[in-house]
Amino acid sequence: VERLEFEIKTILKMGFPGYFLIVGDFINWAKNNGCPVGPGRGSGAGSLVAYALKITDLDPLQYNLLFERFLNPERVSMPDFDIDFCQSNRDRVIDYVKDKYGHAAVSQIVTFGTMAARAAIRDVGRVLDFPYGFCDGISKLIPNKPGQSVTLQLLPAERKKSDKQVYALEAEPILAEREAKEEDVHTLLELARKLEGLTRNVGMHAGGVLIAPGKLTDFCPLYLQPGSTSAVSQFDKNDVEAIGLVKFDFLGLATLTILEIAREFIMKRHEGQENFSFETIPLDDGPTYRLFSDGKTEAVFQFESRGMQGMLRD
């Protein structure tokens, strides 16, 4: 009771009761209408109110999970439930939300694809009518390091120690040399530098859905892709939060689809398992942990990568 009082007080003080009630509503609709929903992950699982509203399926008291990781009065940021739906049913839940709150009040969120170094070079080359092979050769000189952004920009005269940016000219001396010697390469890079980082195309955010307290057009402009029927906001995820709109994460997870198929097989093929449900499986099931310690976790959410399997075996 003490914990619930504290959480409710915090939720009221920060002005988020509506958020909890909306999330609780569409999750329970999904559960009652045959759309598998994840048991809850991330910091949201630390909330007892969320557990009581059946948003999550894990008792935070039993595992000493902290509510403060999810909502902290010291740090006012939007609460964020990562809500996982079975991939093939996710759109049904979004349609339910649209019908309930009004099609004018619900939309998905835009993402902007920007021009990276390589794309900028290819695009400039195409416009200047340079031969494809030439442009391709130059763009391949740009280092492609996963997880690092590489820029065509010139090196600053004085680099700060904190500057972790990878500069293509520094990382690939051949490129610098060719720019100095060949006029075409110089022209190409000079123009590509001006375009680098500009927005090139418009896409749709994989999980984010906006639900506004009225017509969305009162808050932000909308964009409709040719041939599509559902609008997206013209502001990206950071900007929609900056103007005060709330983003709900509707993530489609193949894992939940696989689990659903497995559940149907169990109910059909095993006698006495006609009422099988995941909620009743004990969380200290020995055989399951043996599979984990053998690294046999193909298609287990967040445990399926080779690195993760290796760590489980260790």
Side-chain angles (χ1 to χ4, degrees), residues 98 100-108 210-222 231-235 240 243-246:
K98 282 183 178 166
K100 171 139 190 167
Y101 300 103
H103 286 248
V106 179
S107 87
Q108 287 179 266
L210 293 176
I211 302 176
K215 288 208 316 246
L216 263 163
T217 45
D218 294 345
F219 299 90
C220 73
L222 298 181
V232 293
S233 65
Q234 283 192 37
F235 293 168
V240 291
I243 59 165
L245 285 173
V246 183

Side-chain angles (χ1 to χ4, degrees), residues 7-214:
E7 287 197 16
I8 288 171
K9 220 159 67 191
T10 307
I11 293 166
L12 287 172
K13 187 172 138 199
M14 295 176 77
F16 295 137
Y19 176 79
F20 273 80
L21 293 170
I22 290 172
V23 172
D25 175 68
F26 66 69
I27 285 190
N28 285 303
W29 180 86
K31 286 178 176 171
N32 296 331
N33 287 275
C35 305
V37 184
R41 67 181 166 93
S43 56
S47 165
L48 189 58
V49 169
Y51 179 55
L53 289 172
K54 295 194 165 69
I55 291 173
T56 56
D57 297 337
L58 208 69
D59 176 1
L61 293 181
Q62 200 181 333
Y63 300 99
N64 294 328
L65 302 180
L66 301 172
F67 174 65
E68 287 78 2
R69 271 200 59 212
F70 178 58
L71 269 193
N72 193 330
E74 311 276 306
R75 192 185 114 243
V76 178
S77 63
M78 290 308 294
D80 187 16
F81 281 113
D82 294 314
I83 304 143
D84 303 313
F85 294 101
C86 147
Q87 242 168 1
S88 45
N89 282 298
R90 173 177 169 267
D91 290 342
R92 280 179 58 208
V93 188
I94 294 177
D95 287 341
Y96 163 75
V97 169
K98 282 183 178 166
D99 292 340
K100 171 139 190 167
Y101 300 103
H103 286 248
V106 179
S107 87
Q108 287 179 266
I109 301 174
V110 82
T111 50
F112 296 113
T114 52
M115 257 194 207
R118 288 183 163 198
I121 285 177
R122 290 205 162 97
D123 283 0
V124 169
R126 200 176 304 123
V127 173
L128 294 177
D129 248 356
F130 283 156
Y132 174 77
F134 168 74
C135 300
D136 189 52
I138 298 295
S139 79
K140 283 192 171 140
L141 283 175
I142 290 169
N144 188 9
K145 297 183 176 171
Q148 284 185 319
S149 72
V150 179
T151 178
L152 295 171
Q153 301 308 318
L154 300 168
L155 283 148
E158 284 180 24
R159 278 185 77 176
K160 295 194 182 83
K161 279 227 166 95
S162 59
D163 186 1
K164 294 278 186 280
Q165 181 66 59
V166 178
Y167 292 91
L169 294 179
E170 182 180 50
E172 183 47 84
I174 298 173
L175 188 66
E177 193 185 325
R178 284 192 64 178
E179 181 176 15
K181 287 184 180 161
E182 300 173 42
E183 200 176 324
D184 281 356
V185 178
H186 177 67
T187 308
L188 185 64
L189 289 177
E190 205 170 23
L191 288 168
R193 275 185 198 116
K194 292 177 182 168
L195 295 183
E196 187 182 35
L198 287 183
T199 299
R200 182 169 195 259
N201 54 357
V202 172
M204 191 164 76
H205 189 273
V209 174
L210 293 176
I211 302 176

